[in-house]
Amino acid sequence: MFDFSTAPLPVDDDRAEAFRHVWHRLAAPGTWWTGEERVAIAAVARAAYESGESAERGALPAAATEAAALLAHQPAAITQELIVSWESRGLSASQYVELIGIVSQLTTVDTFHRALELELEPLPEAAAGEPSRQLPEAPATITKAWVPMVGPPTIPTSLSAVPAEMAALEMLHGPMYLTYEEMSDPAVTHGLTRAQTELVASRTSAINECFF
Amino acid sequence: MLSWSVEETNQQINLLPIADGKGDPLLPGGRELIGFVGATLSGNGIADARTAVVDTLGKAAAADAAAVTGNFEMMNRIADGVGMPVGPGTRKRMAGTIAELGLDRFPHA
């Protein structure tokens, strides 16, 4: 799994390991979704990323299928009204936050593969088991964002209503971009200088029409 | 973050290529990096764009560019998915950049 021996560019071990961790988590029962449902969400997202179509997946409620497809294909089109609509059709706020984690992490892994023109890693076989239903240590509330968070809305609290997804985001962030410690250094350099890194980040966000 | 890192390291930046994908951002390899991101997200001309980054900045830089693109595909989906608000302080601090790049046209601005 995630063998980069024929890749056209060197792939650091910490990136490959992060991808394996994402796949392991994807297959396992999550906080509010089973492993089967998590893999189904990823399948919808992967199909929609390129086609834009919201293919039905038997294991998922229709609202979850719609949310996964839109988040993968056209995230800037998501509105608070849509989220409320999905919730009224049975997609709870916590389930939606976990869905964001699944789709966004999948997109990171797949985009890296597309950039290197590698075959996308097959989605994993789902593992059996029940969701943990783990709640955050402090209550998550809706303030100025559209989903509940523990504390003020910032990227480090964005998925805090589902602690396991927050932890997964932090685990990917360092190998793919910068650690939180490195983010305070304007001159930090790996393969790219900090300014070059931010140029790539900014162009990605511009294409996605994301203000962030 | 881009403007801050450029200022702190005494470099120059032309922000317009970030918005339209054309022109020279004035950073070393900047034109090639802009091209690589665009090719990756459109699915068109990836090999040529990646080779251009390798030829200009090296393989490690190209690998980092692929990773950072992937990371911000994730961060953009999180920010848009949760409805991350743009606070008045950020808006004030970025006023020049918002105007120059026309960021107010974005749906979540």
Side-chain angles (χ1 to χ4, degrees), chain A residues 133-205:
Chain A
R133 302 184 183 278
Q134 180 199 359
L135 297 172
E137 290 186 2
T141 57
I142 294 181
T143 55
K144 294 180 178 175
W146 300 340
V147 303
M149 296 180 194
V150 180
T154 62
I155 286 298
T157 62
S158 55
L159 305 180
S160 53
V162 182
E165 296 306 319
M166 196 71 252
L169 161 63
E170 291 171 1
M171 195 257 167
L172 258 180
H173 193 263
M176 300 300 280
Y177 170 56
L178 298 169
T179 64
Y180 285 135
E181 291 75 23
E182 288 173 328
M183 285 182 67
S184 61
D185 182 354
V188 62
T189 296
H190 296 290
L192 295 174
T193 66
R194 179 65 186 272
Q196 289 167 330
T197 296
E198 297 303 335
L199 180 70
V200 170
S202 299
R203 180 60 183 147
T204 304
S205 297

Side-chain angles (χ1 to χ4, degrees), chain A residues 103-134:
Chain A
V103 174
S104 61
Q105 291 157 37
L106 171 85
T107 308
T108 297
V109 175
D110 282 359
T111 297
F112 186 82
H113 282 67
R114 291 186 181 101
L116 271 59
E117 294 181 296
L118 299 170
E119 291 283 329
L120 299 184
E121 186 76 21
L123 294 176
E125 291 290 327
E130 291 300 311
S132 71
R133 302 184 183 278
Q134 180 199 359

Side-chain angles (χ1 to χ4, degrees), chain A residues 10 15 49 71-72 76 78 96 108 111 115 117 146 154-155 176 190-192 194-196 198 200 203 205-206 208 211, chain B residues 1-2 18-19 28 46-47 50 61 63-64 67-71 73-78 80-84 86 107-108:
Chain A
R15 285 181 183 145
Y49 183 91
L71 191 64
I78 290 177
Y96 175 62
T108 297
T111 297
E117 294 181 296
W146 300 340
T154 62
I155 286 298
M176 300 300 280
H190 296 290
L192 295 174
R194 179 65 186 272
Q196 289 167 330
E198 297 303 335
V200 170
R203 180 60 183 147
S205 297
N208 284 330
F211 192 95
Chain B
M1 298 295 254
L2 175 58
I18 293 169
I46 296 174
R50 188 178 62 238
D64 274 9
V68 174
T69 302
N71 187 73
E73 284 266 86
M74 173 173 70
M75 303 311 288
N76 291 166
R77 280 164 177 77
I78 292 171
D80 284 344
V82 304
M84 189 63 70
V86 182
H108 291 185

Side-chain angles (χ1 to χ4, degrees), chain A residues 24-147:
Chain A
H24 174 75
R25 286 195 66 256
L26 177 58
T31 304
W32 298 104
W33 298 105
T34 65
E36 183 184 7
E37 289 166 336
R38 288 172 61 86
V39 174
I41 289 168
V44 168
R46 178 175 273 182
Y49 183 91
E50 291 179 343
S51 72
E53 294 184 5
S54 170
E56 287 295 324
R57 286 294 186 280
L60 291 180
T65 302
E66 290 173 22
L70 193 60
L71 191 64
H73 180 67
Q74 200 178 2
I78 290 177
T79 63
Q80 188 169 19
E81 290 71 25
L82 270 174
I83 295 171
V84 169
S85 159
W86 291 329
E87 191 164 6
S88 73
R89 292 163 56 206
L91 179 64
S92 75
S94 295
Q95 287 177 318
Y96 175 62
V97 170
E98 182 171 341
L99 181 148
I100 294 171
I102 295 165
V103 174
S104 61
Q105 291 157 37
L106 171 85
T107 308
T108 297
V109 175
D110 282 359
T111 297
F112 186 82
H113 282 67
R114 291 186 181 101
L116 271 59
E117 294 181 296
L118 299 170
E119 291 283 329
L120 299 184
E121 186 76 21
L123 294 176
E125 291 290 327
E130 291 300 311
S132 71
R133 302 184 183 278
Q134 180 199 359
L135 297 172
E137 290 186 2
T141 57
I142 294 181
T143 55
K144 294 180 178 175
W146 300 340
V147 303

Side-chain angles (χ1 to χ4, degrees), chain B residues 53-67:
Chain B
V53 175
V54 171
D55 290 347
T56 308
L57 297 172
K59 285 189 171 184
D64 274 9

